[in-house]
């Protein structure tokens, strides 16, 4: 009734194209396209045809997070005379690398399978809860925001894939979400560029509305990020559990998977709680990434699939890429 072909002239040569476009917009595979004798299959479009839009939304979410943290850390360093070197280091970050970071991260999130992405989300959620509970012991939440970059991208991608799976016009919904996410990321980058360039002048002159607003309320950025991340990971955790459990045919098979996974994640959380106490340099951050992904690699090597192992290696590259890109801000958070 609402197909795209009914709105346009009926041309026999374009009937195949209209059917294919309708299928993509409605989030379902065209009739008769489940196989062509060569072993090809369309499968679930949200999980196979729409990986790029979901990955783009996740990468844009990471970009917004980094831009807001950059604004917050720059203002904090500007107000502290002893942290002027950190302020200049944050300002000196190359702006041309920001679009490249989004493109590379989009490709990584699009290639990582839903199972490994779900495991990354669950692992970070346990680590975040453990870190928040230990804040009274001297832990810093600002550093946690930077450590969650890749996990945030995986969480947004998993959440969108689960919520839009089988939904009418799922591809169109993902395209709209990707457009809005890109627009929000662009404005966040523009805000960070404006602050690093003109905030020092505008905060003294007091004639820029944006800088005046940041002058009085920039301290609320961590709280804003905390609330947004809490909602995002709450939805992502539910989606991750559902995505993992749908691959099991029986309860016994699920128990054989979740039992070693729970033990592995518990040991990882204990290790990551003890590691920061042994050193205050940035090296333990990268060591923790290697240990986490190494544990997940060994776990999936025994109870997973060979594609999961490849996705774990890709996730390791994604984690390291995000940390290297935010190295300056990570050092500023550790010295805070």
């Amino acid at each position: 009734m609402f197909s795209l072909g009914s709105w346009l002239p009926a041309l026999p040569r374009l009937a195949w194209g209209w059917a294919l476009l309708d299928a993509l917009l409605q989030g379902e595979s065209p009739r008769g396209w489940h196989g062509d004798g060569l072993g090809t299959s369309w499968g679930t479009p949200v999980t196979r045809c729409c990986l790029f839009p979901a990955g783009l939304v996740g990468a844009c979410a990471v970009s917004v997070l980094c831009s807001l943290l950059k604004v917050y850390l720059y203002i904090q360093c500007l107000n502290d005379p002893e942290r002027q070197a950190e302020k200049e280091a944050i300002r000196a970050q190359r702006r041309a690398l920001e679009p490249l970071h989004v493109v590379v991260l989009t490709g990584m999130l699009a290639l990582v399978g839903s199972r490994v992405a779900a495991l990354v989300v669950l692992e970070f959620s346990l680590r975040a809860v453990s870190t928040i509970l230990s804040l009274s012991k001297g832990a810093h939440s600002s550093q946690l925001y930077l450590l969650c970059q890749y996990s945030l991208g995986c969480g947004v991608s998993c959440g969108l894939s689960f919520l839009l799976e089988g939904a009418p016009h799922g591809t169109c919904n993902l395209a709209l979400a990707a457009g809005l996410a890109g627009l929000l990321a662009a404005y966040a980058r523009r805000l960070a560029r404006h602050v690093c360039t003109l905030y020092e002048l505008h905060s003294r002159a007091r004639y820029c509305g944006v800088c005046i607003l940041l002058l009085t309320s920039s301290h609320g950025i961590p709280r804003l990020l905390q609330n947004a991340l809490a909602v995002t990971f709450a939805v992502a955790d539910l989606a991750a559990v559902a995505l993992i459990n749908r691959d099991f045919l029986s309860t016994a098979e699920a128990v054989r998977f979740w039992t070693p996974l729970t033990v592995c994640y518990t040991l990882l959380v204990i290790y990551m709680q003890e590691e920061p106490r042994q050193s205050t340099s940035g090296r333990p951050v990268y060591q923790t990434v290697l240990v986490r992904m190494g544990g997940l690699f060994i776990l999936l090597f025994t109870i997973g699939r060979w594609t999961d192992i490849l996705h774990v290696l890709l996730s390791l590259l994604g984690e390291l890429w995000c940390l290297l890109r935010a190295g300056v801000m990570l050092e500023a958070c550790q010295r805070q």
Side-chain angles (χ1 to χ4, degrees):
M1 179 177 180
F2 298 102
S3 62
L4 183 61
S6 62
W7 301 348
L8 300 173
L11 299 178
R13 296 183 179 180
L14 298 180
W16 175 84
W18 298 143
L20 177 59
L21 186 56
D22 278 337
L24 291 177
L25 293 179
Q26 295 174 12
E28 58 187 20
S29 58
R31 297 179 180 178
W33 279 68
H34 298 285
D36 57 357
L38 299 176
T40 58
S41 175
W42 279 81
T44 305
V46 172
T47 56
R48 297 193 180 185
C49 298
C50 305
L51 293 177
F52 179 79
L56 179 59
V57 175
C60 289
V62 175
S63 178
V64 172
L65 172 67
C66 292
S67 297
L68 293 180
L69 277 177
K70 186 176 182 179
V71 170
Y72 172 74
L73 292 175
Y74 182 85
I75 295 176
Q76 293 295 315
C77 294
L78 181 64
N79 297 331
D80 190 350
E82 298 180 357
R83 303 179 64 184
Q84 298 305 305
E86 299 176 22
K87 180 201 72 173
E88 295 300 329
I90 294 175
R91 175 188 290 179
Q93 286 184 307
R94 296 182 179 180
R95 302 170 184 172
L97 295 180
E98 295 178 0
L100 176 63
H101 175 68
V102 174
V103 172
V104 174
L105 189 57
T106 299
M108 290 182 177
L109 293 175
L111 293 176
V112 172
S114 60
R115 180 199 286 258
V116 173
L119 293 177
V120 171
V121 171
L122 293 176
E123 184 272 331
F124 175 79
S125 298
L126 292 176
R127 180 159 45 110
V129 171
S130 177
T131 302
I132 292 175
L133 293 178
S134 64
L135 285 178
S136 58
K137 301 179 182 179
H140 298 284
S141 60
S142 298
Q143 181 177 346
L144 185 64
Y145 297 145
L146 290 173
L147 297 179
C148 80
Q149 295 179 72
Y150 184 76
S151 301
L152 174 62
C154 290
V156 173
S157 179
C158 281
L160 286 175
S161 298
F162 175 74
L163 294 175
L164 295 179
E165 184 173 1
H169 304 282
T171 305
C172 186
N173 293 335
L174 277 176
L176 178 61
L180 295 176
L183 186 64
L184 184 60
Y187 275 103
R189 286 198 301 269
R190 181 183 298 181
L191 174 64
R193 189 181 308 116
H194 176 84
V195 169
C196 292
T197 306
L198 300 172
Y199 177 80
E200 188 172 2
L201 174 62
H202 289 175
S203 61
R204 291 196 303 262
R206 305 217 172 191
Y207 64 85
C208 176
V210 174
C211 294
I212 293 175
L213 178 63
L214 291 174
L215 183 64
T216 58
S217 60
S218 62
H219 61 277
I221 292 179
R223 176 65 62 179
L224 173 65
L225 293 177
Q226 180 180 351
N227 295 335
L229 291 175
V231 174
T232 302
F233 277 101
V235 176
D237 289 336
L238 296 176
V241 173
L243 289 174
I244 293 176
N245 285 334
R246 71 180 182 182
D247 293 334
F248 301 129
L249 301 178
S250 63
T251 304
E253 186 179 356
V255 170
R256 285 195 300 269
F257 181 86
W258 283 106
T259 300
L261 180 67
T262 303
V263 174
C264 178
Y265 279 0
T266 302
L267 295 177
L268 287 176
V269 169
I270 294 175
Y271 170 80
M272 286 179 286
Q273 286 297 109
E274 295 294 333
E275 184 66 22
R277 302 175 186 175
Q278 301 176 4
S279 176
T280 58
S281 62
R283 185 175 300 177
V285 174
Y286 300 98
Q287 293 178 351
T288 300
V289 172
L290 295 176
V291 172
R292 287 170 40 227
M293 291 301 168
L296 191 59
F297 177 87
I298 296 175
L299 178 66
L300 293 179
F301 185 79
T302 56
I303 61 176
R305 308 163 183 164
W306 68 270
T307 53
D308 295 335
I309 297 176
L310 297 179
H311 293 160
V312 169
L313 297 177
L314 186 61
S315 296
L316 174 61
L317 295 178
E319 289 272 10
L320 294 177
W321 172 262
C322 291
L323 292 179
L324 289 174
R325 179 68 184 90
V328 175
M329 293 189 292
L330 189 60
E331 294 179 359
C333 288
Q334 291 173 346
R335 295 174 184 176
Q336 188 174 6

